[in-house]
Amino acid sequence: MASYLLIESRDPFDSNDVQFTTELATGLAQAGNTVTVLLVQNGVLPARAGAKADGLVALLNAGVTVLADDFSLVERGIAPARLRPGVTPAPIDVVLDHMAAGHKTLWH
Amino acid sequence: MSQKTLTFALMDPPYESANLTTAFRLLTAAAERGYNLNVFAYEGASALAFARQAAHPNPVHGKNLAEENHPTTREQVAALLACAEKNGGKVDWVNCGMCVDERGVNEFVPGTRRGSPADLHAFTEASDNILVIPTK
Protein backbone atom coordinates (compact mmCIF):
# COMPACT_ATOMS: atom_id res chain seq x y z
CA MET A 1 0.00 0.00 0.00
CA ALA A 2 1.07 3.55 -0.67
CA SER A 3 1.41 6.71 1.37
CA TYR A 4 -0.40 9.86 0.36
CA LEU A 5 -0.30 13.50 1.37
CA LEU A 6 -3.31 15.50 0.26
CA ILE A 7 -3.01 19.25 0.71
CA GLU A 8 -6.34 21.05 1.05
CA SER A 9 -6.11 24.81 0.55
CA ARG A 10 -9.79 25.60 0.18
CA ASP A 11 -12.45 26.52 2.68
CA PRO A 12 -15.32 23.99 2.56
CA PHE A 13 -17.74 26.80 3.43
CA ASP A 14 -16.64 28.51 0.20
CA SER A 15 -15.80 25.60 -2.13
CA ASN A 16 -18.05 22.60 -2.45
CA ASP A 17 -15.30 20.63 -4.17
CA VAL A 18 -13.46 20.20 -0.88
CA GLN A 19 -15.79 17.23 -0.62
CA PHE A 20 -13.71 15.54 -3.34
CA THR A 21 -10.62 15.65 -1.15
CA THR A 22 -12.59 14.13 1.71
CA GLU A 23 -13.93 11.36 -0.50
CA LEU A 24 -10.51 10.64 -2.02
CA ALA A 25 -8.75 10.61 1.34
CA THR A 26 -11.30 8.41 3.08
CA GLY A 27 -11.42 6.04 0.11
CA LEU A 28 -7.65 5.69 0.05
CA ALA A 29 -7.56 5.09 3.79
CA GLN A 30 -10.34 2.52 3.63
CA ALA A 31 -8.36 0.73 0.92
CA GLY A 32 -5.48 0.32 3.34
CA ASN A 33 -3.26 3.22 2.30
CA THR A 34 -1.58 5.59 4.73
CA VAL A 35 -3.19 8.99 4.23
CA THR A 36 -2.38 12.41 5.63
CA VAL A 37 -4.37 15.55 4.89
CA LEU A 38 -2.66 18.88 5.47
CA LEU A 39 -4.96 21.88 5.74
CA VAL A 40 -3.42 25.14 4.51
CA GLN A 41 -4.62 28.70 3.86
CA ASN A 42 -8.42 28.93 4.20
CA GLY A 43 -8.46 25.15 4.35
CA VAL A 44 -7.76 25.43 8.09
CA LEU A 45 -11.09 27.13 8.87
CA PRO A 46 -13.08 23.92 9.48
CA ALA A 47 -10.42 22.80 11.95
CA ARG A 48 -11.82 25.18 14.57
CA ALA A 49 -13.39 23.23 17.41
CA GLY A 50 -16.80 24.86 16.99
CA ALA A 51 -17.02 24.69 13.22
CA LYS A 52 -19.50 22.50 11.40
CA ALA A 53 -17.09 20.17 9.65
CA ASP A 54 -18.68 16.92 8.61
CA GLY A 55 -15.90 16.23 6.11
CA LEU A 56 -13.19 16.68 8.69
CA VAL A 57 -15.00 14.33 11.08
CA ALA A 58 -15.24 11.77 8.28
CA LEU A 59 -11.50 12.00 7.71
CA LEU A 60 -10.72 11.48 11.38
CA ASN A 61 -13.15 8.58 11.62
CA ALA A 62 -11.48 6.94 8.61
CA GLY A 63 -8.10 7.02 10.31
CA VAL A 64 -6.68 9.83 8.19
CA THR A 65 -4.01 11.91 9.89
CA VAL A 66 -5.16 15.54 9.78
CA LEU A 67 -2.62 18.34 10.12
CA ALA A 68 -3.11 22.11 9.99
CA ASP A 69 -0.42 24.46 8.71
CA ASP A 70 0.78 26.47 11.70
CA PHE A 71 1.37 29.65 9.68
CA SER A 72 -2.14 29.55 8.22
CA LEU A 73 -3.54 29.15 11.74
CA VAL A 74 -1.58 32.14 13.05
CA GLU A 75 -2.64 34.26 10.06
CA ARG A 76 -6.27 33.59 10.94
CA GLY A 77 -5.96 33.97 14.70
CA ILE A 78 -6.69 30.32 15.42
CA ALA A 79 -4.81 29.16 18.50
CA PRO A 80 -3.83 25.48 18.74
CA ALA A 81 -6.03 25.16 21.83
CA ARG A 82 -9.05 26.06 19.68
CA LEU A 83 -8.57 23.20 17.22
CA ARG A 84 -10.89 20.25 16.95
CA PRO A 85 -9.44 17.23 18.79
CA GLY A 86 -7.56 15.07 16.33
CA VAL A 87 -6.21 17.98 14.28
CA THR A 88 -2.55 18.71 14.88
CA PRO A 89 -0.65 21.89 13.97
CA ALA A 90 2.37 21.27 11.74
CA PRO A 91 5.07 23.33 10.04
CA ILE A 92 5.16 23.55 6.25
CA ASP A 93 8.27 21.37 6.34
CA VAL A 94 5.98 18.38 6.75
CA VAL A 95 5.27 18.61 3.02
CA LEU A 96 8.97 18.28 2.26
CA ASP A 97 9.23 15.30 4.60
CA HIS A 98 6.49 13.51 2.70
CA MET A 99 7.87 14.45 -0.72
CA ALA A 100 11.38 13.41 0.22
CA ALA A 101 10.03 10.07 1.40
CA GLY A 102 8.43 9.54 -2.00
CA HIS A 103 4.85 9.81 -0.86
CA LYS A 104 2.26 10.75 -3.47
CA THR A 105 1.51 14.41 -2.87
CA LEU A 106 -1.52 16.20 -4.28
CA TRP A 107 -2.65 19.82 -3.92
CA HIS A 108 -6.23 20.98 -4.02
CA MET B 1 20.77 10.75 3.03
CA SER B 2 21.33 11.66 -0.61
CA GLN B 3 20.49 15.13 -1.82
CA LYS B 4 16.89 15.31 -2.92
CA THR B 5 15.58 16.89 -6.09
CA LEU B 6 12.01 18.16 -6.01
CA THR B 7 9.94 19.71 -8.77
CA PHE B 8 7.22 22.29 -8.27
CA ALA B 9 4.83 23.49 -10.95
CA LEU B 10 3.33 26.90 -10.22
CA MET B 11 0.36 28.40 -12.05
CA ASP B 12 -0.93 31.43 -10.12
CA PRO B 13 -0.06 35.00 -11.18
CA PRO B 14 1.79 37.34 -8.82
CA TYR B 15 -0.07 39.29 -6.13
CA GLU B 16 -3.38 37.45 -6.39
CA SER B 17 -3.38 34.15 -4.53
CA ALA B 18 -2.33 32.77 -1.17
CA ASN B 19 -1.13 29.74 -3.10
CA LEU B 20 2.06 31.60 -3.94
CA THR B 21 2.71 32.56 -0.34
CA THR B 22 2.56 28.89 0.55
CA ALA B 23 4.58 27.94 -2.52
CA PHE B 24 7.41 30.32 -1.63
CA ARG B 25 7.37 29.06 1.96
CA LEU B 26 7.75 25.50 0.65
CA LEU B 27 10.47 26.44 -1.82
CA THR B 28 12.41 28.39 0.78
CA ALA B 29 12.20 25.56 3.31
CA ALA B 30 13.47 23.14 0.66
CA ALA B 31 16.30 25.48 -0.29
CA GLU B 32 17.28 25.75 3.37
CA ARG B 33 17.59 21.96 3.41
CA GLY B 34 19.98 22.14 0.46
CA TYR B 35 17.60 20.35 -1.89
CA ASN B 36 17.87 20.80 -5.63
CA LEU B 37 14.74 22.46 -6.93
CA ASN B 38 13.10 22.54 -10.31
CA VAL B 39 10.36 25.09 -10.80
CA PHE B 40 8.13 25.21 -13.85
CA ALA B 41 6.28 28.54 -13.83
CA TYR B 42 3.44 28.55 -16.32
CA GLU B 43 0.28 30.50 -17.13
CA GLY B 44 0.10 33.47 -14.74
CA ALA B 45 3.08 32.25 -12.73
CA SER B 46 5.32 32.94 -15.72
CA ALA B 47 5.30 36.58 -14.53
CA LEU B 48 6.76 35.77 -11.11
CA ALA B 49 10.33 36.31 -12.30
CA PHE B 50 9.54 39.26 -14.60
CA ALA B 51 12.51 41.55 -14.13
CA ARG B 52 10.67 44.86 -14.62
CA GLN B 53 8.33 44.48 -11.65
CA ALA B 54 8.60 47.69 -9.61
CA ALA B 55 7.70 48.46 -6.03
CA HIS B 56 5.42 51.45 -5.56
CA PRO B 57 4.39 53.98 -2.91
CA ASN B 58 0.82 54.08 -1.62
CA PRO B 59 -0.39 57.69 -1.71
CA VAL B 60 -3.90 56.68 -0.67
CA HIS B 61 -2.47 55.48 2.64
CA GLY B 62 0.08 58.29 2.77
CA LYS B 63 3.08 55.98 2.48
CA ASN B 64 6.18 56.65 0.43
CA LEU B 65 8.14 53.91 -1.30
CA ALA B 66 10.18 52.96 1.76
CA GLU B 67 7.20 53.01 4.11
CA GLU B 68 5.09 50.90 1.79
CA ASN B 69 7.96 48.39 1.52
CA HIS B 70 6.15 46.58 -1.27
CA PRO B 71 7.52 43.09 -1.87
CA THR B 72 7.88 41.90 -5.44
CA THR B 73 7.89 38.31 -6.56
CA ARG B 74 10.99 38.92 -8.68
CA GLU B 75 12.80 39.70 -5.42
CA GLN B 76 11.38 36.55 -3.86
CA VAL B 77 12.65 34.50 -6.79
CA ALA B 78 16.09 36.08 -6.53
CA ALA B 79 16.15 35.45 -2.78
CA LEU B 80 15.22 31.81 -3.36
CA LEU B 81 18.10 31.37 -5.79
CA ALA B 82 20.50 32.94 -3.29
CA CYS B 83 19.19 30.78 -0.43
CA ALA B 84 19.65 27.60 -2.45
CA GLU B 85 23.17 28.54 -3.47
CA LYS B 86 24.09 29.36 0.13
CA ASN B 87 22.91 25.93 1.27
CA GLY B 88 24.50 23.91 -1.52
CA GLY B 89 21.44 23.35 -3.66
CA LYS B 90 20.55 24.38 -7.17
CA VAL B 91 17.40 25.93 -8.59
CA ASP B 92 16.42 25.45 -12.21
CA TRP B 93 13.58 27.96 -12.64
CA VAL B 94 11.87 27.72 -16.02
CA ASN B 95 9.43 30.32 -17.30
CA CYS B 96 7.05 28.85 -19.88
CA GLY B 97 7.95 30.49 -23.19
CA MET B 98 4.49 30.70 -24.70
CA CYS B 99 3.11 32.01 -21.41
CA VAL B 100 5.65 34.84 -21.13
CA ASP B 101 5.15 35.80 -24.77
CA GLU B 102 1.40 36.02 -24.30
CA ARG B 103 1.87 38.30 -21.32
CA GLY B 104 4.83 40.37 -22.53
CA VAL B 105 6.92 39.35 -19.53
CA ASN B 106 9.92 38.02 -21.42
CA GLU B 107 12.62 39.61 -19.28
CA PHE B 108 13.67 37.41 -16.39
CA VAL B 109 15.50 37.60 -13.11
CA PRO B 110 19.09 36.39 -13.71
CA GLY B 111 19.38 32.70 -12.95
CA THR B 112 15.99 31.82 -14.40
CA ARG B 113 15.39 30.83 -17.99
CA ARG B 114 12.86 30.41 -20.75
CA GLY B 115 11.56 26.91 -21.42
CA SER B 116 8.64 24.76 -22.46
CA PRO B 117 6.44 21.95 -21.15
CA ALA B 118 9.18 19.61 -22.31
CA ASP B 119 11.23 20.94 -19.40
CA LEU B 120 8.46 19.94 -17.01
CA HIS B 121 8.54 16.45 -18.45
CA ALA B 122 12.32 16.30 -18.03
CA PHE B 123 12.02 17.66 -14.47
CA THR B 124 9.48 14.97 -13.64
CA GLU B 125 11.74 12.23 -14.98
CA ALA B 126 14.72 13.49 -12.98
CA SER B 127 13.05 14.33 -9.66
CA ASP B 128 12.42 12.42 -6.47
CA ASN B 129 8.96 13.93 -6.32
CA ILE B 130 6.75 16.61 -7.83
CA LEU B 131 4.01 18.90 -6.55
CA VAL B 132 1.68 20.75 -8.88
CA ILE B 133 0.05 23.81 -7.32
CA PRO B 134 -2.78 24.68 -9.69
CA THR B 135 -4.78 27.87 -9.74
CA LYS B 136 -8.30 27.78 -8.33
Side-chain angles (χ1 to χ4, degrees), chain B residues 51-95:
Chain B
R52 291 173 62 187
Q53 291 180 22
H56 57 73
N58 191 333
V60 174
H61 292 166
K63 293 182 176 179
N64 62 28
L65 191 63
E67 291 166 337
E68 180 70 2
N69 194 23
H70 186 288
T72 64
T73 58
R74 67 170 173 80
E75 293 170 321
Q76 290 176 289
V77 172
L80 173 68
L81 299 178
C83 179
E85 184 176 9
K86 175 185 173 186
N87 290 287
K90 294 182 294 186
V91 178
D92 191 354
W93 183 294
V94 168
N95 305 296

Side-chain angles (χ1 to χ4, degrees), chain B residues 110-130:
Chain B
T112 71
R113 64 183 176 92
R114 179 187 178 94
S116 77
D119 290 291
L120 178 58
H121 181 266
F123 285 164
T124 304
E125 293 287 309
S127 297
D128 294 291
N129 214 330
I130 181 168

Side-chain angles (χ1 to χ4, degrees), chain A residues 68-84:
Chain A
D69 173 44
D70 54 7
F71 182 85
S72 301
L73 292 171
V74 170
E75 277 186 314
R76 290 157 182 79
I78 304 172
R82 294 175 55 207
L83 291 176
R84 175 182 297 276

Side-chain angles (χ1 to χ4, degrees), chain A residues 14 41 69 71 97 99 103, chain B residues 18-19 22 25 33 129 136:
Chain A
D14 175 69
Q41 301 165 197
D69 173 44
F71 182 85
D97 294 339
M99 293 181 72
H103 300 170
Chain B
N19 284 357
T22 306
R25 289 173 58 219
R33 291 186 181 195
N129 214 330
K136 184 174 181 179

